[in-house]
C-alpha cells in the first residue's frame, strides 16, 4: 500500500513537470507529437529508473562509506550522462526515426533537472533502495503522463485558429499552465 | 426512433414546381451530346462530322464492362465531335454535336414491340446496357452492372427510390403521379432480372398524391412505403437503413447487405428499353428556383442546351447561381453553353438571397456538423485538416466514407465550405496515392 | 582528496568501459561520406533547409544525386568541398530559389465566374478548373504563401505571389502546392525567367491575359546565347544553364512578360594579359569593348551588361568579372 501511495504521489500529486516545474525543456520541446512524446517518455522512464537504482547504490555503498557525500552532484551527473549515452545508442540502433525525431532532446536528458532532481530527492527523503526505485519510476511515469497529455493537446492546437500573437510558444505555455492547474486537483489525495 | 442517424431538414421549396404537370420541351435545332454521361470506363465516339444519324442511334461504343453508350436524341447530321464543357467536371470533354433535321425520325426498327416478361435475364441486361441506362437519381452508375451483382452476393431486397429528398426538385414526383405504369412495369422488369418476387417503393411523405396514385396502381408484389421527410434519405445507404435497419459497412456497397436500390426514373427508362428498345435519350427535369421566371417540369432530351431550357422557362430573373441538380449536392455552372444530361434531375436557378453567398470563418467546434453527419464522421476536424492539407490524418478519420451530402456545410454557423475541404483532401489523397503507385 | 579523485575516476572508468562495449554492440551502419558531410555542415539544426536537422540534410544530399544544397548558412568553399567529396558537379548543389512564372493578376487576366469556397488555389482548381479564364495562370489565393515554412512568399498588391530571394531556401514546397505548376526552382545567382506557361493559341491571348506570352519567338531570335526555346504553341522557355543574364530579351518582348534579376557584375580587361586580338569586340552584343589591334582593349563599364561572352571567348584569359 505504501508503495502504491508512493507511485500516486510521485506521478500525480507531486507531478515533476506540473507541480515541481522540473524537466520543462523536453516538456515543451518534445511535445509536438504524441508519438515522439511517448518515445521520449519511455527513454526518460528507463533513464530515471536506472539512475535511481545506480545512484542510490553508489551513494550508499561508496560515497557514504568513504564520507564523500559532497561528491553527490558530480557523481550523479556522471552516472546520468552515462545512462543517457547508453539510451542514445540503443535508440539509434532500435529505431532510427525516433532517434532523428528526438534530435537534440535525447542528449539533453542528461541536463534534465528532473532526472538529477529524482536522484537527489531519493537521498534527501531518505528512501531505501526499493522506495528509491519505485519513487523514481513513478516520477518518470508521471513525467511521461504529463508529456503525453500535453502532446495530445498541442496536436489539437495545431488544428485550431490561434491569434497570431499567441501562435507557437505562448499558447503552449498558457496550455501548460492550465494543465498544471488541472493537476492541482490531485492535491490532498495523498497525505 | 430516427430512421437513420444525422441528417437535416432544409426547407423543401417544392411548391414552385410540385403541382406543375410535365411539359414536353419542343424539338430543338441543335444538340450537344456528351460522350461521358456515366460513372465508369469512358466510351468512344463512333460517329464523325457529316454522318447522318437517326433518333435513338448509338453515337458511342462502351470501352469496358462498366460503360454505356449514348444515343442521338433526334435525327439529323453530326456536325462533329467537339470539346464541350461537361456539366459535372466543368472541364472540356468530347461531345457529339448534332444539327437536327426537324423530321425526328426513329432509327431503323425502333420502337420495337416485345414482351420483357418473355425475355430472360441475359436478354434484359443486354437491352438495358444497349439502351445506355444509368442511374437517373444523379449518380449515373450503369444500371446493367447494378442489376447484375457478382457471384456470392445474394440479393433479397429491391428498393425503388421515389424519395427525392433534395429540396426544390420534383421530377421523380411528377413522374410517379403522371406515369405510374411506366415506373411500376419497370420495377417488375428489375424484379425479373434480380429473380425477386417483391420490391419496396419508398416515397417521402411530402408527396401524398404520388403515394396515393402508386398505392392504387401498384400490383401486390410492390409495397409502397411512405417515409417521414429527412435529408439525405434518398441516399442509398441511408434509405437502406431507414427501410430495413441494415447498415452498409464502411467501404461497402448495398449488395453487401443483400440490397439493390434503383431510382424510379431509372425503372421507367428500363421499361422503355426492354419493351420498346427505346434508348435513354430524354428525361423529366425540374427547372426551378426563384431566379427563373417560369419554373416548370419538362420532358427534355439529352443534349438540349441549358440556354434554350432557360429561354423556354421565361429567362433568368435576378439569377445569381445556376445549379445542375439540387441545392445540397448539385454542381454550380459557370456558363449556359452546357447540355442537359442523363443524370440532370434538376436545373436550379437561385437568386442572390437564396444562394446565400458569403465568406467563412474559423471553426468554433460547436458540433452541429457532427450531429448532422449521416455517416457518423466529424466534419469539423475534417475541415480543419483540409485547411492544413493533412490528408493522411483525414484518411484515418474516415475521409473515404464521406458521401459529400452537404449536411455539415448546411448547418455550419461559421459558413465553412466543409464538403469543399473534404474534396480537397480527397484530391490530395488521390494524387499522393497515384504518386505512390508510380513509385515516385 | 586523493580518495575522492580515485572514486570519481573509477566510476568514470567503469562507465567508459561499458560505453565502449556498447558502441561496438549497438553500432549503426551509415555511409561514411554522410558522416563527413554532417561534419561539414554548420550543425545548427536550424531547419532552414526544410529538413529535420543537419543529419537529415546530409543524408538527402549523399543519397539523392539531384538534391540541391538547401542550406543557406553554408559557405562557398564548403559547398566545393562537399561537391569534391561526393564527386558531383557544382550545378546540383547550387542554391535555388522559387520563381513565380505568371504576371497575370486580376487586373491583367479576367475571371469567368465568382469563386466561393476555401481560400486555397487547389480547392479553387477543383471547381471547373478554376475561376480564371486562363487555365495556366496564377489563381492568386496564396496556397504557395501558406505552405512556405520560411515566410519567403507574400501576396503582392497585384494579386500575385512574390518571392523574397534572400529568405527563400529552395525547399520546393511552393512548387508542389501550386496546382498549375507555375512555380519553378531556378538558380539563386540572378536569373531571367519568362513569366508565363500558357499554351493557349496566340490569337486567343488577347481575351485571356494582357501580359501572357504571345509565342512570337522574338526573344528566342535575339538571344545571343541560344538560351531561349520558343516551341510552337508553348510559351517561351529560358534554359538557365545557358542564360548569361544579359537582359536583351527583356528589351524586345512586346508584352513585357520576361522578368530578370541581373548580377551586378561587369567585365574588365587585364591589360598585361591582353594580346589585342579583338575577338572580344566582335562578340560583344552591346559594343562595349573597343581598342586597336595588338594593343590592350578596354571595356566601357557604362555599356557593359556583364553577359560574360567576351570572357568566354578570350583566347588569352585576359578578361575578368568584377562586382560593379
Amino acid at each position: 500500500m505504501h508503495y502504491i501511495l508512493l507511485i500516486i504521489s510521485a506521478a500525480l500529486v507531486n507531478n515533476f513537470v506540473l507541480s515541481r516545474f522540473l524537466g520543462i525543456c523536453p516538456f515543451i520541446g518534445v511535445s509536438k507529437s504524441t508519438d515522439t512524446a511517448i518515445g521520449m517518455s519511455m527513454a526518460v522512464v528507463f533513464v530515471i529508473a536506472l539512475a535511481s537504482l545506480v545512484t542510490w547504490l553508489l551513494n550508499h555503498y561508496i560515497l557514504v562509506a568513504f564520507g564523500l557525500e559532497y561528491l553527490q552532484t558530480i557523481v550523479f551527473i556522471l552516472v546520468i550522462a552515462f545512462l543517457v549515452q547508453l539510451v542514445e545508442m540503443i535508440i539509434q540502433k532500435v529505431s532510427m526515426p525516433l532517434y532523428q525525431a528526438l534530435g537534440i532532446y535525447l542528449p539533453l536528458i542528461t541536463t534534465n533537472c528532473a532526472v538529477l532532481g529524482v536522484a537527489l530527492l531519493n537521498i534527501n527523503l531518505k528512501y531505501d533502495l526499493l522506495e528509491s526505485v519505485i519513487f523514481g519510476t513513478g516520477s518518470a511515469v508521471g513525467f511521461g503522463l504529463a508529456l503525453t497529455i500535453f502532446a495530445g493537446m498541442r496536436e489539437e492546437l495545431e488544428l485550431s485558429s490561434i491569434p497570431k500573437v499567441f501562435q507557437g510558444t505562448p499558447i503552449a505555455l498558457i496550455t501548460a499552465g492550465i494543465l498544471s492547474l488541472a493537476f492541482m486537483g490531485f492535491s490532498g489525495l495523498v497525505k | 426512433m430516427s430512421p437513420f442517424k444525422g441528417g437535416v431538414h432544409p426547407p423543401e421549396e417544392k411548391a414552385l414546381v410540385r403541382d406543375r404537370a410535365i411539359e414536353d420541351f419542343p424539338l430543338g435545332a441543335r444538340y450537344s451530346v456528351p460522350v461521358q454521361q456515366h460513372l465508369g470506363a469512358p466510351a468512344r465516339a463512333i460517329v464523325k462530322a457529316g454522318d447522318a444519324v437517326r433518333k435513338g442511334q448509338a453515337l458511342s461504343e462502351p470501352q469496358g464492362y462498366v460503360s454505356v453508350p449514348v444515343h442521338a436524341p433526334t435525327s439529323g447530321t453530326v456536325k462533329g465531335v467537339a470539346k464541350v464543357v461537361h456539366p459535372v467536371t466543368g472541364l472540356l470533354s468530347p461531345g457529339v454535336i448534332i444539327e437536327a433535321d426537324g423530321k425526328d425520325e426513329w432509327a431503323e426498327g425502333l420502337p420495337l414491340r416485345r414482351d420483357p416478361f418473355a425475355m430472360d435475364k441475359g436478354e434484359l441486361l443486354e437491352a438495358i446496357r444497349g439502351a445506355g441506362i444509368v442511374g437517373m437519381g444523379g449518380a449515373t452508375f450503369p444500371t446493367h452492372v447494378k442489376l447484375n451483382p457478382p457471384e456470392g452476393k445474394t440479393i433479397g431486397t429491391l428498393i425503388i427510390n421515389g424519395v427525392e429528398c433534395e429540396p426544390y426538385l420534383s421530377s421523380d414526383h411528377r413522374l410517379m403521379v403522371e406515369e405510374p405504369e411506366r415506373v411500376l412495369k419497370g420495377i417488375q422488369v428489375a424484379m425479373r432480372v434480380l429473380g425477386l418476387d417483391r420490391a419496396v417503393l419508398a416515397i417521402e411523405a411530402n408527396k401524398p398524391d404520388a403515394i396515393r396514385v402508386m398505392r392504387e396502381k401498384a400490383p401486390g408484389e410492390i409495397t409502397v412505403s411512405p417515409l417521414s421527410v429527412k435529408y439525405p434519405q434518398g441516399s442509398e445507404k441511408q434509405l437502406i437503413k431507414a427501410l430495413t435497419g441494415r447498415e452498409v459497412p464502411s467501404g461497402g456497397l448495398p449488395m453487401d447487405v443483400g440490397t439493390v436500390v434503383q431510382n424510379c426514373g431509372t425503372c421507367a427508362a428500363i421499361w422503355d428499353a426492354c419493351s420498346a428498345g427505346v434508348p435513354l435519350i430524354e428525361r423529366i427535369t425540374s427547372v426551378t428556383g426563384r431566379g427563373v421566371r417560369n419554373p416548370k417540369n419538362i420532358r427534355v432530351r439529352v443534349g438540349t442546351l441549358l440556354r434554350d431550357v432557360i429561354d423556354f422557362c421565361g429567362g433568368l430573373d435576378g439569377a445569381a447561381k445556376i445549379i445542375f441538380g439540387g441545392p445540397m449536392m448539385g454542381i454550380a455552372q459557370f456558363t449556359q453553353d452546357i447540355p442537359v444530361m442523363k443524370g440532370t434531375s434538376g436545373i436550379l436557378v437561385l437568386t442572390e438571397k437564396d444562394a446565400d453567398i458569403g465568406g467563412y470563418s474559423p471553426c468554433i467546434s460547436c458540433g452541429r456538423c457532427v450531429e448532422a453527419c449521416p455517416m457518423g464522421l466529424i466534419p469539423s476536424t475534417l475541415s480543419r485538416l483540409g485547411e492544413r492539407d493533412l490528408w493522411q490524418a483525414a484518411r484515418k478519420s474516415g475521409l473515404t466514407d464521406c458521401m459529400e451530402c452537404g449536411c455539415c456545410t448546411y448547418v455550419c454557423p461559421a459558413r465553412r465550405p466543409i464538403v469543399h475541404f473534404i474534396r480537397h483532401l480527397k484530391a490530395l489523397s488521390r494524387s499522393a496515392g497515384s504518386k505512390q503507385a508510380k513509385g515516385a | 582528496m586523493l580518495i575522492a579523485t580515485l572514486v570519481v575516476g573509477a566510476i568514470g572508468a567503469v562507465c567508459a568501459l561499458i560505453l565502449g562495449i556498447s558502441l561496438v554492440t549497438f553500432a549503426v551502419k551509415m555511409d561514411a561520406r554522410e558522416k563527413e558531410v554532417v561534419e561539414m555542415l554548420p550543425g545548427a539544426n536550424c531547419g532552414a533547409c526544410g529538413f529535420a536537422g543537419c543529419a537529415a540534410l546530409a543524408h538527402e544530399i549523399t543519397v539523392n544525386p539531384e538534391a540541391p544544397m538547401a542550406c543557406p548558412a553554408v559557405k562557398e568553399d564548403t559547398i566545393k568541398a562537399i561537391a569534391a567529396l561526393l564527386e558531383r558537379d557544382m550545378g546540383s548543389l547550387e542554391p535555388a530559389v522559387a520563381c513565380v512564372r505568371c504576371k497575370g493578376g486580376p487586373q491583367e487576366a479576367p475571371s469567368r465566374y465568382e469563386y466561393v469556397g476555401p481560400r486555397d488555389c487547389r480547392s479553387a482548381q477543383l471547381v471547373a478548373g478554376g475561376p480564371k479564364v486562363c487555365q495556366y495562370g496564377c489563381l492568386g489565393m496564396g496556397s504557395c504563401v501558406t505552405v512556405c515554412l520560411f515566410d519567403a512568399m507574400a501576396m503582392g498588391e497585384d494579386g500575385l505571389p512574390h518571392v523574397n530571394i534572400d529568405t527563400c531556401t529552395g525547399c520546393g514546397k511552393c512548387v508542389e502546392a501550386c496546382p498549375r505548376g507555375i512555380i519553378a526552382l531556378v538558380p539563386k545567382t540572378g536569373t531571367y525567367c519568362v513569366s508565363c506557361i500558357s499554351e493557349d493559341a496566340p490569337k486567343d491571348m488577347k481575351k485571356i491575359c494582357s501580359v501572357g506570352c504571345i509565342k512570337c519567338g522574338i526573344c528566342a531570335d535575339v538571344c545571343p546565347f541560344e538560351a531561349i526555346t520558343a516551341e510552337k504553341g508553348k510559351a517561351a522557355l529560358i534554359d538557365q544553364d545557358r542564360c548569361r543574364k544579359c537582359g536583351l530579351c527583356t528589351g524586345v518582348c512586346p508584352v513585357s512578360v520576361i522578368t530578370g534579376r541581373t548580377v551586378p557584375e561587369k567585365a574588365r580587361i587585364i591589360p598585361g594579359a591582353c594580346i589585342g586580338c579583338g575577338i572580344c569586340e566582335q562578340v560583344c552584343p552591346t559594343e562595349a569593348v573597343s581598342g586597336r589591334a595588338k594593343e590592350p582593349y578596354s571595356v566601357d563599364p557604362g555599356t557593359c551588361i556583364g553577359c560574360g561572352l567576351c570572357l568566354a571567348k578570350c583566347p588569352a584569359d585576359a578578361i575578368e568579372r568584377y562586382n560593379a
Side-chain angles (χ1 to χ4, degrees), chain B residues 89-91 321 332 334 357-361 387 389 417 420-421 423-424 427-428 430 435, chain C residues 112-120 122-129 135 146-147 176-177:
Chain B
T89 60
L91 304 171
K321 198 166 184 176
F334 66 89
I357 300 162
Y360 62 92
S361 35
E387 271 179 317
D389 300 349
H420 202 153
F421 283 121
R423 285 206 182 133
H424 170 58
L428 289 175
R430 268 196 303 268
K435 257 197 224 152
Chain C
R112 51 191 182 159
Y113 64 81
E114 186 193 331
Y115 169 71
V116 179
R119 294 178 285 267
D120 169 57
R122 293 152 299 178
S123 299
Q125 180 74 6
L126 290 177
V127 184
Q135 292 291 290
T146 317
V147 299
E176 255 180 74

Side-chain angles (χ1 to χ4, degrees), chain B residues 25-26 28 30-33 73 300-309 324 338-341:
Chain B
F25 193 90
R30 219 169 125 105
Y31 290 88
S32 171
V33 185
V300 62
R301 299 195 201 193
V302 163
T304 308
L305 288 177
L306 174 64
R307 202 175 284 285
D308 299 332
V309 174
F324 264 37
I338 40 172
V340 169
M341 303 205 296

